[in-house]
Every structure is written in C-alpha cells, then in structure tokens.
Amino acid sequence: MTGTNRPPEPPEPPEPPAPPAPGPDLRGTPMGSDLTRSMRRRQLSPQEAAVMEERVRRVELAISWVLRTGVVVSVAVIAVGLAMMFAHHGAWTSITGHTSYRSLTDRSTPFPHSLSALGRAIGRGEGRGIVVLGVFIPILPPVMRVAVGVLSFVYEKDPPMTIVTLYVLVVLVGSFFLAGG
Amino acid sequence: MTPLDFVVSLALISVAAGVLGSLIGLGGGVVIVPVLTLVYHIDIRLAIGASIVSVIATSSGAAAAYVRERMTNLRAGMFLEIATTTGAVSGAYLTTILPARFLFVLFGLVLAYSAFATFRRRHADAPLTVSNDRIANYFNLHGSFYDPAEQREIPYKVVGTKLGLALMYVAGLVSALLGLGSGALKVPAMDSAMHLPMKVSSATSNFMIGVTAAASAGVYFTRGQIDPVIAAPVAAGVLLGATLGARVLGRVASKTVRIVFVVVLVVISLEMLQKGVFA
C-alpha cells in the first residue's frame, strides 16, 4: 500500500518521472506503468482516455453477457428438471391430495449434493439431478465474472487490481473444495 | 399441500420477492427466508440454503442490467469483495455451530436494522472531488456515473476504504449466516462510509451480492443444505422477478418504494424475533 506516497501533483507534467516510492506498480510494464498509478485518468490524454474507456466498456459488457446467459440457462434447466421430476412422480402433480410437500423438504430428503453424486444422478436421467444442476448453475456466473475480472485487469496492466481479483477468485473456488466435512 | 402446490405457490411468491428485492437493492432473501420458515415451516438452515441461491440469482439478474446502464463501480466492487467473500466463508462455517433460534433472532434484528437503514434520510451529499484516502487512490477506486436527471457524467471520489472493508466483512458474515444479500449493510458501507453516490452504491451492492453469496453457496451446496425442491422454484421465481425489477428501477419514485418496503420488513422482523424468542 505504499504506491501513493506522493502527494497529488500539479497536472502540468503529462508523463511524471518514475516515482521514488516502492510499490507493486513498479514492476509494471513499459507502457502500462503510468496507467496503474493513482490519478491516472488525470494524466491520460483525451485519446488514451477514450481507448481506456472503450476497453473498460467492453469488459463490462462481457460481464453483463455472462450474467444474463447464466440467468437464462439456469431457469431453463430448472424448468426442465422440475417437469421431469413431476413426470416421474405422478402422485405429486395432483392439486389436492394426501402427498405432502413436507416429505421433500425435510432435512433428511435425499438429493445429490456432491459433484460426483450430481453427475451420477444426471447420468441416470433423474429429474432431481437436473434440478440440482439448475440450482447449481446460478452459482457459476459470479465465479466466472471474477475470473473475467482477473483477465481484464491483467489486460489493462493493473497489478494491484489483478491481485485483488485473484484473491477473491481463490476464496470462491476454495469454498467449493474446502466445504466438505 | 401437495408438492405441485408447494412448487407453484413458492415460485409465485419468489417472483414477487425478486421484484421487491431488486428495486431496493436488498436481494430477495429478506422475504424468502421468512416465507419458507413461517409459512411453509421449513427448517431455517434449508431456507437459508435456498435463499442464498435466490440471492445470487437476484444479483446476477439485476446486475446485468445495472452494468449496461454503467451505474456499477466495478473496481470498488471487486476491491470490497476481498472483505465480503472472506466474511461469507467465515459465516458459512459458523451456521453449523449456532442454534436455529439464534438464527431467527439474528434474522429479526438484521431485518429491523434493514428497515431502519432503508427508512432513514439518505444523505444527498454532492459527490467528492478530492480524496486523501491512500488505499482508494492506490487502487483508483474512484469513478463516474451518468445521471439521467442532469443528463451528464458525474465524477466522484472514494474515501474511508478501511471502514468500508470492515463493514463489508460483517456484511459478508451476515449474508452467509442468514442467506441474505445483506445489501442493507453493503449500501451504507458504500454511500455513508465511502461516499459513493447513492445510485452507484445500490448498483455496486447488487453486483457484489452475487459474488459474496457464491462464496457461501459453495459451502452450503457440498453440505447438502441446498434442497433442490425448495431452491429450484425460489431461484427461478426470483430470477424472473429480479429481471422485471431491474427494468422498473429508475422509473419508480424511490421514496414510495422504501416506505412500502419498510412496513413489510418491520412486520417480518417482528415475526422472526417472536419465533426465535418464544418458539
């Protein structure tokens, strides 16, 4: 956190000399180092700023696309899975009847909750497995979104934010593997 | 009530919860968990598991729209997710230790706070033009947004990142413990502590909620706390509702929405407290 020891400079030097303070942005890149520093928007020429703006915009649109696609896909999979479940269990589909939903919403209700069990259930064509998959899909876009974030900050040559997003990605992916037990 | 009735009625309620949640930036969980526990008498841990999926869904559905409208501060959001995801993983581990009654009481309290936070006067400070916050400057968390009312791009500066990070850790913890998006904690952390403009705070909060919830959903999924029969209608319903809600935002008088929402929250919060204390 030592990259911004310099007080805000007057804007006259468009390309300030290399800062004396050590910081992650120092191992920066030939042309990206000035981008990673604080107040960088101030130091960009209007043309550079426009290019930067355009890149950021493209990343944002890509993220938006990932989010929307995940939403549509998961709703479709959930609908198919539920339809299959009800098709396999005729008694569930009556509007009045003695089959209570409680048997399906107990803590003891069996359903696949590991990736391998999920794979087997889908392999057997169980509606329940498909539903679990549909419920699992919404969890993925945020993870993908952070992964896209890592890539975009690498592309923007922004080491501090790359490290930030990488940490978040590690926590997210780790939560799936450390969860057992 | 047969399984079909259950799935259909729950899906309809979830659509309503999704609309409400995305309008106010709080996520659908504030409605879903109480409905599942109080109306359908489902174990609160399974309710939380289902809700966390719906919370992710709400966030994704609405965030897609917000990002296109350029309201979200992606850099600040990503940066603060350091704290929220860490908090979420801690919270997901804590749920197994804490008794169900404690979860009810905590839920009631957080909800009451959410109601208060939504109701209190929002500061409409002018955006900051300078920032001495070294962390914010180093990571360049500042940004700008397009204000349709003034028809121009409004730049702003960010301050108070340390306080923001601390509040975000708590927000992540609460999110995982209760299956909420905890936008009620994230929005003030951004607009009060860090001086992000109100609309940017809401949009960025919605954006962060999905990532925060995904961190605890991984834990809940493997632990079998996400029952598909409950989670599926909730997730699908909330997704549809959130998509609708995101389209409406900006056209609805936000004050009216807040007042309606506060009344709903207070009633639900009392119900949950009552269940935790007397049940």
Side-chain angles (χ1 to χ4, degrees), chain B residues 244-261:
Chain B
L244 289 174
R247 298 237 165 107
V248 178
L249 187 100
R251 267 171 270 164
V252 174
S254 53
K255 199 185 168 190
T256 321
V257 177
R258 285 211 181 89
I259 290 169
V260 172
F261 206 69

Side-chain angles (χ1 to χ4, degrees), chain B residues 10-36:
Chain B
L10 189 55
L12 292 177
I13 292 171
S14 302
V15 171
V19 172
L20 208 55
S22 73
L23 279 182
I24 207 78
L26 287 183
V30 285
V31 181
I32 290 300
V33 173
V35 164
L36 286 173

Side-chain angles (χ1 to χ4, degrees), chain B residues 118-172:
Chain B
T118 323
F119 192 60
R120 92 199 146 142
R121 196 185 64 83
R122 313 300 308 194
H123 66 93
D125 296 345
L128 296 181
T129 50
V130 286
S131 170
N132 292 324
D133 190 296
R134 284 165 58 174
I135 302 175
N137 286 335
Y138 180 67
F139 288 98
N140 191 20
L141 305 180
H142 318 296
S144 67
F145 70 104
Y146 181 76
D147 187 343
E150 292 195 33
Q151 298 200 335
R152 68 185 181 93
E153 196 81 13
I154 298 179
Y156 56 86
K157 296 283 181 184
V158 173
V159 293
T161 42
K162 279 181 192 156
L163 180 60
L165 280 175
L167 291 173
M168 285 297 177
Y169 178 82
V170 176

Side-chain angles (χ1 to χ4, degrees), chain A residues 19 21-34 36-37 157-164 166, chain B residues 138-139:
Chain A
D25 56 336
L26 276 188
R27 37 187 171 130
T29 45
M31 99 172 237
S33 58
D34 64 313
T36 62
R37 214 166 293 139
K157 297 182 176 139
D158 191 336
M161 284 306 291
T162 306
I163 292 165
V164 163
L166 208 53
Chain B
Y138 180 67
F139 288 98

Side-chain angles (χ1 to χ4, degrees), chain B residues 78-103:
Chain B
M78 294 277 194
F79 177 77
L80 292 171
E81 275 160 8
I82 294 177
T84 60
T85 51
T86 310
V89 171
S90 336
Y93 279 98
L94 272 178
T95 27
T96 40
I97 306 168
L98 298 168
R101 285 181 65 168
F102 175 84
L103 295 176

